[in-house]
Amino acid sequence: MVDFFILFFIKATIVLSIMHLSGIKDISKFAMHYIIEEIDEDTSMEDLQKMMAVALVYRLLVCFYEIICIWGAGGATPGKFLLGLRVVTCDTSVLIAPSRVLVIPSSNVSMTTSTIRALIKNFSIASFFPAFITLLFFQHNRTAYDIVAGTIVVKRNSVR
């Protein structure tokens, strides 16, 4: 939820800035279309194209946010950090005790790996495929995008 609110605030700020710079006066209609993305019978094809463009830019913004956080901020978005989680590389994971997994190599995620993970995760969500549900089918609660990217979400060590 923390990440959702951060990203929603960023999206609203960008959209409202674009609206202000373009001189659009009807804030309520614009906000309903571009922030909440509500579609009704009065929505034109041009409005739909603009909404798709805004949605694509937002998806790329979310990817950028996740890439920077996972690669550059210790493997965690602010939400993951507050939950005591982080993303690390994982070629192999072996169950060593109940609720304990040995992760090999378990290193910080590279920018390339973070980019692959973010793109697969966010564009699968955008295409209405709930990729996170795949964690029910793979070992150690890994999602499909974690397996493809070679990552796993783990509890952060409290002692550094």
Side-chain angles (χ1 to χ4, degrees):
M1 290 304 288
V2 172
D3 297 327
F4 171 80
F5 284 115
I6 290 170
L7 288 165
F8 185 82
F9 177 75
I10 291 170
K11 179 181 181 181
T13 302
I14 290 171
V15 169
L16 292 174
S17 298
I18 291 169
M19 190 181 88
H20 176 72
L21 292 173
S22 64
I24 296 173
K25 302 292 184 221
D26 189 358
I27 293 174
S28 62
K29 181 181 177 188
F30 191 87
M32 287 301 280
H33 281 322
Y34 297 105
I35 296 175
I36 302 171
E37 298 175 0
E38 181 179 287
I39 300 172
D40 60 17
E41 66 275 354
D42 296 327
T43 305
S44 70
M45 190 58 97
E46 183 179 322
D47 286 340
L48 286 173
Q49 290 172 340
K50 288 178 185 175
M51 289 169 69
M52 291 298 292
V54 169
L56 178 61
V57 168
Y58 179 66
R59 243 339 102 204
L60 292 172
L61 175 73
V62 171
C63 286
F64 182 73
Y65 171 82
E66 287 193 12
I67 291 164
I68 295 303
C69 290
I70 301 300
W71 167 64
T77 61
K80 279 185 180 56
F81 182 81
L82 289 174
L83 290 172
L85 302 173
R86 70 186 289 240
V87 179
V88 296
T89 60
C90 175
D91 290 336
T92 306
S93 58
V94 179
L95 185 66
I96 56 174
S99 300
R100 303 255 323 152
V101 176
L102 175 63
V103 177
I104 303 169
S106 185
S107 60
N108 290 333
V109 177
S110 70
M111 184 173 175
T112 303
T113 301
S114 182
T115 301
I116 291 168
R117 184 180 189 276
L119 289 172
I120 293 171
K121 177 182 177 183
N122 288 291
F123 283 96
S124 68
I125 290 169
S127 65
F128 303 110
F129 175 72
F132 61 88
I133 291 192
T134 59
L135 69 85
L136 300 172
F137 305 106
F138 293 115
Q139 276 189 327
H140 316 302
N141 296 333
R142 291 176 76 190
T143 59
Y145 52 84
D146 279 323
I147 291 171
V148 171
T151 59
I152 190 169
V153 179
V154 297
K155 287 185 181 176
R156 196 174 62 245
N157 292 335
S158 56
V159 179
R160 292 226 169 220

